[in-house]
Amino acid sequence: MENVTIKFEDSSDIELPVVEGTEKERGIDITELRSETGYITLDPGYGNTGSCESSITYLNGEKGVLRYRGIPIEQLAEKSNFIEVADLLINGELPSKERRGRFAALLTDNALLHENLKHHFEGFPWNSHPMAMLSAMVNALSCYYPVLTLTHRLQDLEMAAAILISQIRTIAAFSYKMTRGEPFIYPIPKHTYSENLLHMMFSLPHEHYEVHDDIKHAVDRILILHADHEQNCSTSTVRMVASSGANLFAAISAGISALWGPLHGGANQAVVEMLLKIHKGKLDVKKCIEMAKDKDSNFRLMGFGHRVYKNFDPRAQILKGLAVKVFDVLKKTDPLVEIARELEGIALNDPYFVERNLYPNVDFYSGIILRAIGVPKNMFPVFFAIGRLPGWIAHWHEVADNIHSRIDRPRQIYTGYTERPYVPIEKRS
Ligand code: SDX
């Protein structure tokens, strides 16, 4: 691969190697830049900066391509299931029948929280946000599996992954029950992963919640579509925590916190809150689009735009179709759907959005589907976290298992005071 040359005003120059990925994307390796020239690069938001080389997920924002370990998301959404996709992301290959059965059994055997963990929920106020509880409880979980906080060897990783993937679902359901003052409902071993999530949320001691096959299937697709997305904010957080040598549970807890932000995984909740505001306020949709274009208004069209996708988000396209199916199965209508469609129709033809490549992203429709199923909006980011967990585990392992990994420690351009003396308090103004 050829080098690139950077020329400096003092006529010195430096040659830097070019690296090329398996999909022919190229990067300039600046590892030696500072030691050779004293310069660093500056890239707020890392829009042009590769933090690592990774073999887990490939996405092409210009072409709307998303593949987990080389397999297109459209094929996985149509033919696979969430637990098989989790295994694919973590281990790199689609599991054999034997391995798939073993991993599923590990999830079933590890679905229950240690009974002492249940008391932690009593310490949260009834109106706590479930993402706060999820992040706290995942770290608390590590106290019950100390041996797994030290591991990055693959065979232990399978057990750690099974415990986390199975129990994040139980923690999520128990968090929901706690906010409603309802008794915790335990998983049923013969249920599938998504079926048990809805069962533990919506069943009552005296009334079993029957999960409709199409709804179980829809939730499983939602989790598949959220399972990984290369170096997004929360995954980069998990990788950064992993780079310090911190354990898997600590890294996942940090990832949950990063995902919670409304510009990231909290956007699905923000989308429905935006649609509810328009519906309840009987706001004019066209005026809302104008507000979204007005920098002085604090109104942003949530669920629109993406740092990487510049034509369409392939996940949003699949979710849009899933929404139609879910509403058809549930024989429901929701005024928010019509508002969403109207917003999308206007925005996709408005030069402001077209020029800035702003299209519906994964969060635009996911919340509407979960709302139709009866999931409250503060649980939407929790469903995102449950889906993203296998990707986070795979990325943590890619860092922890790499003997060449270094601790992440970015540089900065300092813009504060130059040197100045300490001033005793009596001399301060
Ligand atoms: C996720 O990275 C991932 O992969 C994330 C994710 C994953 O799977 O992990 O895909 C999940 O987080 C999806 C994104 C969910 N967030 C939202 O829906 C929130 C609304 N969207 C925006 O806040 C924004 O589009 C981001 C955060 C998604 C992307 O932000 P960028 O890349 O930093 O873009 P920007 O803020 O620099 O915007 C560029 C321009 C600006 O206008 P100008 O200064 O050029 O005039 O586009 C405008 C922005 O004002 N803009 C929007 C807008 N998003 C960007 N204007 C109105 N409404 C919006 N939604």
Side-chain angles (χ1 to χ4, degrees):
M1 191 48 52
E2 83 278 12
N3 292 342
V4 291
T5 303
I6 300 180
K7 290 188 175 303
F8 294 89
E9 62 253 10
D10 62 2
S11 77
S12 67
D13 61 28
I14 179 175
E15 284 217 346
L16 294 169
V18 171
V19 294
E20 182 176 274
T22 46
E23 289 290 343
K24 309 301 178 209
E25 75 280 24
R26 292 185 174 183
I28 302 168
D29 180 343
I30 57 170
T31 309
E32 303 303 326
L33 178 67
R34 188 171 185 279
S35 59
E36 296 286 318
T37 71
Y39 281 76
I40 64 166
T41 58
L42 181 63
D43 185 19
Y46 304 118
N48 304 282
T49 298
S51 61
C52 63
E53 292 177 315
S54 177
S55 59
I56 299 168
T57 290
Y58 170 71
L59 65 84
N60 181 317
E62 286 66 32
K63 296 177 182 165
V65 171
L66 175 58
R67 301 186 200 130
Y68 296 161
R69 300 287 189 181
I71 301 175
I73 191 69
E74 294 81 1
Q75 293 180 31
L76 291 169
E78 184 193 342
K79 299 171 182 173
S80 188
N81 65 61
F82 177 59
I83 296 310
E84 181 177 79
V85 166
D87 208 336
L88 168 69
L89 284 166
I90 294 166
N91 294 291
E93 298 297 339
L94 286 168
S96 63
K97 204 176 252 184
E98 179 275 329
R99 177 179 173 82
R100 193 167 82 166
R102 186 175 78 236
F103 192 53
L106 275 177
L107 286 159
T108 302
D109 296 345
N110 290 280
L112 293 175
L113 298 183
H114 189 292
E115 281 292 295
N116 290 354
L117 259 173
K118 285 177 16 182
H119 302 304
H120 289 247
F121 288 99
E122 292 158 16
F124 293 116
W126 68 271
N127 57 349
S128 301
H129 196 291
M131 285 294 270
M133 290 189 265
L134 195 67
S135 179
M137 291 299 286
V138 164
N139 245 328
L141 198 56
S142 69
C143 302
Y144 290 81
Y145 300 96
V147 68
L148 293 178
T149 61
L150 309 173
T151 185
H152 52 70
R153 292 189 312 281
L154 207 50
Q155 64 275 25
D156 297 327
L157 186 73
E158 184 183 42
M159 175 57 84
I163 287 167
L164 266 168
I165 292 170
S166 197
Q167 294 187 25
I168 197 173
R169 171 189 53 180
T170 309
I171 292 169
F174 283 13
S175 303
Y176 170 76
K177 284 301 199 186
M178 193 283 284
T179 60
R180 294 172 61 86
E182 292 175 359
F184 296 149
I185 296 293
Y186 284 65
I188 297 175
K190 68 176 174 42
H191 275 5
T192 65
Y193 186 87
S194 303
E195 189 175 8
N196 250 327
L197 174 57
L198 298 176
H199 156 65
M200 289 195 277
M201 282 180 66
F202 298 136
S203 287
L204 291 163
H206 60 283
E207 189 181 346
H208 177 71
Y209 173 82
E210 201 59 46
V211 185
H212 189 292
D213 278 349
D214 288 336
I215 300 306
K216 175 175 37 174
H217 182 81
V219 170
D220 208 61
R221 283 346 57 192
I222 288 173
L223 297 178
I224 288 174
L225 294 171
H226 286 79
D228 195 48
H229 213 238
E230 56 127 279
Q231 304 306 319
N232 60 85
C233 178
S234 55
T235 300
S236 297
T237 300
V238 168
R239 291 184 73 107
M240 181 166 269
V241 172
S243 78
S244 76
N247 70 71
L248 175 58
F249 295 76
I252 298 303
S253 178
I256 293 168
S257 299
L259 185 72
W260 193 2
L263 295 186
H264 190 16
N268 47 27
Q269 177 176 349
V271 167
V272 169
E273 285 168 349
M274 171 188 73
L275 297 173
L276 282 167
K277 189 176 170 184
I278 295 171
H279 175 59
K280 289 180 177 172
K282 296 184 174 28
L283 303 179
D284 179 291
V285 169
K286 290 187 176 62
K287 284 190 182 146
C288 291
I289 291 285
E290 292 311 310
M291 281 196 303
K293 294 156 55 176
D294 175 6
K295 295 289 180 270
D296 296 329
S297 87
N298 62 3
F299 184 87
R300 186 155 265 219
L301 191 53
M302 301 311 279
F304 256 72
H306 198 278
R307 173 63 58 78
V308 179
Y309 286 124
K310 296 309 175 193
N311 282 308
F312 61 92
D313 182 336
R315 303 166 299 176
Q317 300 214 318
I318 297 170
L319 285 167
K320 189 173 181 180
L322 204 54
V324 173
K325 187 165 185 180
V326 164
F327 279 96
D328 184 46
V329 162
L330 295 175
K331 297 189 178 18
K332 270 188 174 179
T333 58
D334 181 348
L336 303 193
V337 179
E338 290 320 308
I339 295 171
R341 287 197 180 120
E342 195 179 345
L343 279 170
E344 183 181 9
I346 297 170
L348 292 183
N349 294 291
D350 184 298
Y352 172 93
F353 292 88
V354 175
E355 285 157 12
R356 290 168 178 78
N357 301 309
L358 302 176
Y359 299 85
N361 58 48
V362 68
D363 292 297
F364 193 64
Y365 282 102
S366 56
I368 291 173
I369 296 172
L370 293 172
R371 171 181 151 94
I373 295 170
V375 177
K377 58 186 187 304
N378 66 0
M379 286 290 290
F380 296 173
V382 173
F383 272 66
F384 195 142
I386 293 170
R388 187 52 51 88
L389 179 58
W392 286 336
I393 293 170
H395 283 274
W396 176 87
H397 184 244
E398 193 170 62
V399 175
D401 203 41
N402 177 355
I403 55 170
H404 303 298
S405 283
R406 300 175 68 207
I407 190 169
D408 288 352
R409 206 280 185 211
R411 295 278 180 163
Q412 65 168 21
I413 296 294
Y414 175 69
T415 57
Y417 286 107
T418 52
E419 186 175 354
R420 59 180 180 143
Y422 177 81
V423 178
I425 191 151
E426 57 274 8
K427 293 188 175 175
R428 294 173 206 159
S429 52

